[in-house]
Amino acid sequence: MNGLDLSRAFFEAHGEPMLRDEFPDLLPYLAAGLFGSGSECFGYDDEVSRDHDFEPGFCLFLPDEETVDRRAAFRLERAYAKLPKEFAGVRRAVLQPVGGARHGVFRTDEFFRERVGTPDGTLSLPEWLALPEQALAEVTNGVLFFDNYGAVSAIREKLSYFPEDVRLKKLAGSLLLMGQSGQYNYRRCVAHGETGAAQLAAGEFVRNTLSAIFLLNKTYQPYYKWVFRALRDLPVLADTEEALVTLLSSGSGAEEAARNADLIEQLAAAVLTEVHRQSLSDATCEDLEKHAYSVNDHIADGNLRNLHVLAAV
């Protein structure tokens, strides 16, 4: 049983009856589910994931104090704490994980403000640019079991993906850095005999290629250790994984360097094919830098378009 299934089963066996029997007056104002930090919220957990912070639990969300007062919230917190300490052979954690509680009772506005800086899902363009993408992935992953009040669903919908202009700004920056690190600097570092720098260039190319791929799929990129796991589920360009891993794991000997240079061009071509399919660039060459500026030119907001092309990366 993975973490999402464990959470739902625990909620259905113990959480839902507790709410129904003890808090019928609060039910119209509540939401419940599991999303946030942790591999289980993405559905990526396995046996290895159970080494820390893994437990049966769920999140309960309630609105501000004017709607549900402190006394009611405190009663709900105590009731949650009294739920069984073990379920399906898995014990609930005694100590909170690093970074704070992942399960339990939360005020909706406080939960979202703490994680993405907005209590209601409203962000300005500069705020969208400044937010770490993984934070947005964490407040939109997982599942809601129910949302009677509707506030949590509405906020998650607002944050479901970048505004199109922000996506284009980020994509332009990723394409530019792909070109600089892969099409230009990798070969030069190899020619100079700077094998360490060549590996750094290959790593930068992979990092920015992954960013471009997620942007082209309109999917938030999660924390780096789950990026390749998430890549496999994407609708387009998921088949780039083998080439990307090869670039990360190979050396810079003459044969490997020549192969890596070919892989860089193949990956660039695959990304540009999708860029053209989405009509995001008017450039017709294979130079990623030219495509980066063309993508930037497609941004509708003049202020955002005129920011440095790397402003969003």
Side-chain angles (χ1 to χ4, degrees):
M1 186 183 299
N2 68 21
L4 285 172
D5 291 337
L6 179 67
S7 175
R8 185 183 289 276
F10 184 61
F11 174 76
E12 291 176 349
H14 299 288
E16 191 171 23
M18 175 267 288
L19 294 175
R20 186 178 59 246
D21 295 344
E22 301 179 39
F23 300 94
D25 55 325
L26 290 186
L27 272 173
Y29 304 102
L30 297 181
L34 180 66
F35 58 90
S37 303
S39 57
E40 70 275 12
C41 295
F42 290 96
Y44 300 156
D45 54 306
D46 54 22
E47 289 302 316
V48 177
S49 306
R50 297 190 176 200
D51 62 344
H52 68 99
D53 301 343
F54 186 87
E55 64 169 350
F58 52 88
C59 303
L60 286 172
F61 298 94
L62 60 160
D64 58 34
E65 291 183 14
E66 292 184 6
T67 308
V68 176
D69 63 27
R70 291 185 187 183
R71 181 179 178 83
F74 178 70
R75 288 174 47 231
L76 192 58
E77 289 169 357
R78 291 196 65 180
Y80 182 89
K82 291 178 181 178
L83 293 175
K85 304 304 180 187
E86 183 173 329
F87 180 76
V90 183
R91 291 195 61 80
R92 291 172 63 192
V94 177
L95 300 175
Q96 291 187 0
V98 175
R102 295 182 177 178
H103 308 138
V105 179
F106 302 92
R107 294 283 185 183
T108 299
D109 56 351
E110 293 175 0
F111 179 91
F112 285 98
R113 183 186 289 111
E114 179 182 330
R115 286 156 179 80
V116 291
T118 173
D120 62 359
T122 302
L123 293 169
S124 66
L125 284 178
E127 288 170 333
W128 277 109
L129 295 181
L131 265 175
E133 195 167 341
Q134 70 186 53
L136 290 160
E138 289 176 358
V139 296
T140 55
N141 65 11
V143 292
L144 276 177
F145 306 147
F146 75 88
D147 185 5
N148 290 339
Y149 199 58
V152 177
S153 299
I155 295 171
R156 277 163 59 91
E157 178 60 29
K158 283 186 182 180
L159 299 172
S160 61
Y161 199 61
F162 295 121
E164 181 64 1
D165 276 357
V166 174
R167 179 177 83 111
L168 293 179
K169 195 70 179 183
K170 287 179 171 290
L171 179 61
S174 295
L175 292 174
L176 182 64
L177 292 176
M178 283 175 66
Q180 289 180 347
S181 59
Q183 290 182 320
Y184 184 74
N185 283 326
Y186 179 77
R187 293 177 186 270
R188 289 179 65 83
C189 290
V190 170
H192 283 298
E194 295 285 352
T195 55
Q199 288 303 101
L200 286 176
E204 280 295 293
F205 176 80
V206 169
R207 184 175 67 83
N208 286 287
T209 301
L210 285 164
S211 176
I213 288 171
F214 277 84
L215 289 162
L216 289 166
N217 278 277
K218 296 186 178 181
T219 300
Y220 290 132
Q221 185 173 321
Y223 190 51
Y224 70 87
K225 69 177 179 179
W226 299 316
V227 169
F228 281 101
R229 172 62 185 82
L231 174 66
R232 294 170 208 144
D233 293 335
L234 296 179
V236 297
L237 297 169
D239 58 354
T240 58
E241 179 182 8
E242 183 178 353
L244 291 166
V245 171
T246 298
L247 283 174
L248 282 178
S249 57
S250 64
S252 294
E255 290 186 8
E256 290 175 307
R259 181 203 57 202
N260 289 350
D262 288 341
L263 286 176
I264 286 169
E265 293 303 331
Q266 291 170 26
L267 287 162
V271 167
L272 290 179
T273 295
E274 184 60 23
V275 168
H276 279 300
R277 192 190 71 79
Q278 296 186 26
S279 301
L280 302 179
S281 172
D282 299 322
T284 56
C285 61
E286 298 177 356
D287 186 337
L288 285 163
E289 183 172 347
K290 288 184 172 58
H291 287 278
Y293 286 106
S294 183
V295 169
N296 193 77
D297 287 342
H298 282 68
I299 295 171
D301 184 274
N303 291 328
L304 184 57
R305 185 174 61 251
N306 291 331
L307 289 177
H308 193 284
V309 68
L310 298 179
V313 297

